[in-house]
Structure formats: structure tokens, C-alpha cells
């Protein structure tokens, strides 16, 4: 891994000040924990002339949890989310997803915003400059072909963040700040199905916070499959939020990660609402999950494995949640 190229470091003290710096330096990048950005710069994937350090923006590290909602600044660390008793009790999927990211030392500096804005990944992209040059690059960096799908006109690099599917299942909203002010967006609309342009974030905007509703009767969980038991990105990850009313399912949201260019929210689940969670319901749910699974050759593990393991992971997690209610 090569050394870092030269860059200028700027230190805003407010979110609005950070946006001004971004507008004045269009090629700049925000940096908070830097656990993903700095390795990508070292590999030559990025070379921003300016880094805007968000470490002094206190408002980004604020978070609150009350009876009806939780609000988390984009600068809240994953370790803080995972360890907070209020998050563990009211939004367990979020706490579990935060705990599943990388290793303990990474989580002490890695932030919620950084994980939500994680760059898409691919075994043909996340390599050294020499490796990429030897393989004639790829569409996402200096080339003109998606190596994972050579006949495709688009990039299929996969989104591999852990926290996004949890927040999708929890029906979260993101807050984005730009020169025109603050705008709110359902998190399901924050992601684009494109390995090269994966965020619906304008070039002059920054993610400042996430808001999550808290409703009685809902339970949630997150789990993932990875090569090693720690550190690795998900080969497939599943987040589920459900509500049980006696012996019937009265609410269900399922989201996945690692198997598409964006975190996907399963659709058509309304068909099982108001029904018992029996074998027929499980079969229908697995079909819904399969429809939102579009893995390509972006990891060291085969596409058929990731396609098969995702609905199995969803079934096991759903069964565990149902039986714990």
C-alpha cells in the first residue's frame, strides 16, 4: 500500500461551515473516522486535494432517544451506537449492525455517516494500483468495462455497509444539508442502484443526521455472513423489523446488504401481513428476499452461494425474532 499523496486539511467548526468549504473546494472530501477513505486514498482510488475534517463539528456527534424517536448525528461513532443501552433496547437492529462493523478499534473512530456513505466495493476495484493496471482497470476507476459483468453498460460494485439495512428496516429518515438549507429524505430514497453513483447526495450536500421512529410492539435484529467472524464486510447481511399480534404477523420490513449496488428493501411483504408465520408465509417471504438479491462477481465468494445464503439468513433471523416475542 503506497503512502498518502499530498492534500490540504481544513477544520470547520459547524456543519454549515463544512458545506461552505465543500462548495469552495468541489474536489474535496469529508473525513471523520477515515477508516474507509484513507485506505482508498492509499490504494490510489481517490486523490482529493482537500480533506475537510469533521472532528471539530460538535453538532454531528449529538444524539437523543426518547419515547417516540431517536436522532443521531452523522458523526456519532459506531462504538457509541453499539454500546448505548437505549439503542440496544429500542433499536436492537441498529446496535447489532453497528457492532458488526469491522473491529473494535475501527468502531471507536468510524462514524454512522461514514458507514452510510460507504463507497461501493468490488474485488476488481479495491486493489492496489499495480493490480488494477495489470488487469486493465475497471469502469469504476480509469477503465471502461465492469469486470464483474463485462457485457454490462453499468458498474455492479456492491454496497457493503452494515448500518444502512438496519435503518431501512427501521424506516429511518436522513437529513442532508446543502447551500439551500436542510432537506429530509426517507433512507430508502438515499441510495441509487449504481456502483459508481450510489448516493442521492448532491455534490454540495453533506449527511448531517438520521432520525428513526420508535413504535411500541416492534422488534428488530441484524445479522450477516462474512468470510471471517470479525472485521470483514458482509457477503450478505439481513436486517428485519417485525410486529407480532398474537399468532399473526402485523408488520414486517426486511432489508439486505452486500448483494446489490445499494441496500435493498424487500417488497411485496404485505401479502403475509395478518397471517400466521407458517411454512407458506416463510416460502413467500423467501421469494420476496430473492427478488431483491442481485449479487455479481464482486467478492471472493461465488455468486450462487450469496444468492442462496441470503434468503436462508433471512429465514433464520425471522424465526429467531418471532420466537423471542
Amino acid at each position: 500500500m503506497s503512502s498518502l499523496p499530498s492534500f490540504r486539511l481544513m477544520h470547520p467548526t459547524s456543519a454549515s461551515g463544512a458545506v461552505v468549504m465543500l462548495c469552495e473546494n468541489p474536489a474535496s472530501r469529508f473525513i471523520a473516522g477515515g477508516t474507509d477513505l484513507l485506505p482508498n486514498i492509499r490504494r490510489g482510488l481517490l486523490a482529493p486535494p482537500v480533506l475537510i475534517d469533521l472532528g471539530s463539528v460538535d453538532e454531528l456527534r449529538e444524539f437523543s432517544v426518547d419515547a417516540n424517536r431517536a436522532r443521531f448525528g452523522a458523526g456519532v461513532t459506531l462504538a457509541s451506537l453499539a454500546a448505548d443501552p437505549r439503542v440496544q433496547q429500542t433499536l436492537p437492529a441498529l446496535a447489532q449492525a453497528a457492532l458488526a462493523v469491522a473491529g473494535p478499534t475501527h468502531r471507536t473512530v468510524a462514524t454512522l455517516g461514514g458507514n452510510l456513505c460507504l463507497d461501493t466495493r468490488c474485488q476488481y476495484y479495491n486493489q492496489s494500483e499495480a493490480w488494477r493496471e495489470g488487469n486493465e482497470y475497471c469502469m469504476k476507476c480509469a477503465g471502461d468495462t465492469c469486470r464483474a459483468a463485462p457485457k454490462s453498460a453499468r458498474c455492479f460494485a456492491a454496497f457493503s455497509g452494515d448500518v444502512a439495512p438496519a435503518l431501512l428496516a427501521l424506516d429511518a429518515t436522513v437529513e442532508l444539508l446543502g447551500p439551500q438549507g436542510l432537506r429530509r429524505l426517507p433512507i430508502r430514497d438515499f441510495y441509487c442502484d449504481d456502483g459508481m453513483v450510489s448516493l442521492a447526495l448532491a455534490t454540495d450536500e453533506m449527511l448531517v443526521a438520521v432520525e428513526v421512529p420508535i413504535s411500541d410492539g416492534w422488534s428488530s435484529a441484524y445479522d450477516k455472513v462474512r468470510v471471517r467472524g470479525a472485521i470483514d464486510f458482509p457477503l450478505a447481511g439481513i436486517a428485519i423489523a417485525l410486529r407480532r399480534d398474537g399468532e399473526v404477523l402485523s408488520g414486517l420490513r426486511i432489508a439486505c446488504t452486500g448483494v446489490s449496488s445499494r441496500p435493498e428493501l424487500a417488497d411485496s411483504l404485505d401479502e403475509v401481513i395478518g397471517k400466521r408465520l407458517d411454512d407458506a408465509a416463510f416460502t413467500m417471504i423467501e421469494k420476496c428476499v430473492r427478488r431483491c438479491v442481485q449479487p455479481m462477481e464482486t467478492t471472493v465468494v461465488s455468486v450462487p452461494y450469496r444468492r442462496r445464503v441470503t434468503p436462508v439468513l433471512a429465514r433464520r433471523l425471522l424465526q429467531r425474532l418471532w420466537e423471542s416475542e
Side-chain angles (χ1 to χ4, degrees):
M1 191 176 289
S2 62
S3 60
L4 289 173
S6 297
F7 57 84
R8 185 160 55 99
L9 192 61
M10 304 184 74
H11 301 277
T13 56
S14 67
S16 58
V19 170
V20 170
M21 290 179 182
L22 177 66
C23 294
E24 292 174 346
N25 302 274
S28 62
R29 296 293 296 266
F30 292 125
I31 183 168
T35 55
D36 187 59
L37 178 64
L38 290 179
N40 284 350
I41 293 175
R42 285 187 181 276
R43 291 191 179 102
L45 298 172
L46 302 166
V50 175
L51 292 181
I52 302 172
D53 180 10
L54 302 176
S56 298
V57 184
D58 292 340
E59 65 198 89
L60 296 181
R61 294 194 294 275
E62 297 174 352
F63 75 90
S64 60
V65 181
D66 59 34
N68 299 312
R69 65 156 201 161
R71 187 179 185 277
F72 307 100
V76 172
T77 66
L78 299 178
S80 298
L81 283 176
D84 190 278
R86 297 168 298 174
V87 179
Q88 294 171 355
Q89 181 178 357
T90 60
L91 303 168
L94 178 57
Q96 293 162 16
L99 186 62
V101 177
T105 54
H106 300 94
R107 293 191 293 270
T108 61
V109 293
T111 62
L112 171 62
N115 198 254
L116 290 177
C117 296
L118 195 71
D119 191 16
T120 54
R121 302 182 60 82
C122 179
Q123 64 174 335
Y124 296 99
Y125 172 72
N126 296 94
Q127 302 286 351
S128 68
E129 169 65 22
W131 192 98
R132 296 195 311 278
E133 182 182 12
N135 285 272
E136 298 182 349
Y137 298 99
C138 72
M139 182 185 293
K140 190 169 168 64
C141 186
D144 56 9
T145 302
C146 177
R147 299 298 175 191
K151 295 182 180 180
S152 172
R154 54 155 286 192
C155 167
F156 278 92
F159 179 83
S160 301
D162 290 290
V163 176
L167 291 173
L168 272 170
L170 294 169
D171 200 26
T173 299
V174 295
E175 296 181 4
L176 311 176
L177 181 65
Q180 308 306 316
L182 194 70
R183 70 179 177 115
R184 294 165 56 85
L185 193 67
I187 194 169
R188 61 182 176 273
D189 297 330
F190 184 55
Y191 293 99
C192 308
D193 192 16
D194 186 329
M196 295 178 68
V197 185
S198 58
L199 300 175
L201 188 67
T203 56
D204 57 1
E205 286 184 316
M206 68 180 294
L207 172 65
V208 293
V210 177
E211 184 173 297
V212 188
I214 297 176
S215 303
D216 291 338
W218 285 85
S219 58
S220 66
Y222 174 77
D223 201 0
K224 72 179 183 180
V225 175
R226 48 188 162 182
V227 174
R228 296 171 291 185
I231 299 178
D232 285 344
F233 289 94
L235 301 168
I238 289 286
I240 297 177
L242 71 79
R243 185 170 56 196
R244 179 175 179 174
D245 185 5
E247 292 304 312
V248 301
L249 192 64
S250 59
L252 179 63
R253 291 189 291 267
I254 299 177
C256 56
T257 187
V259 289
S260 178
S261 291
R262 65 182 175 190
E264 299 282 359
L265 188 65
D267 57 14
S268 302
L269 292 175
D270 288 346
E271 298 179 32
V272 299
I273 302 303
K275 299 180 180 179
R276 294 174 60 89
L277 192 59
D278 53 18
D279 287 343
F282 272 120
T283 298
M284 189 175 297
I285 291 167
E286 288 178 1
K287 287 181 179 178
C288 292
V289 172
R290 286 193 189 96
R291 282 200 292 269
C292 68
V293 171
Q294 304 171 25
M296 302 297 290
E297 193 184 348
T298 55
T299 74
V300 296
V301 176
S302 71
V303 169
Y305 172 80
R306 292 160 68 207
R307 185 175 291 121
R308 289 195 300 267
V309 78
T310 308
V312 172
L313 183 62
R315 180 174 184 137
R316 290 177 180 174
L317 190 58
L318 182 56
Q319 184 78 54
R320 191 168 80 225
L321 266 179
W322 180 260
E323 293 174 353
S324 68
E325 284 295 289

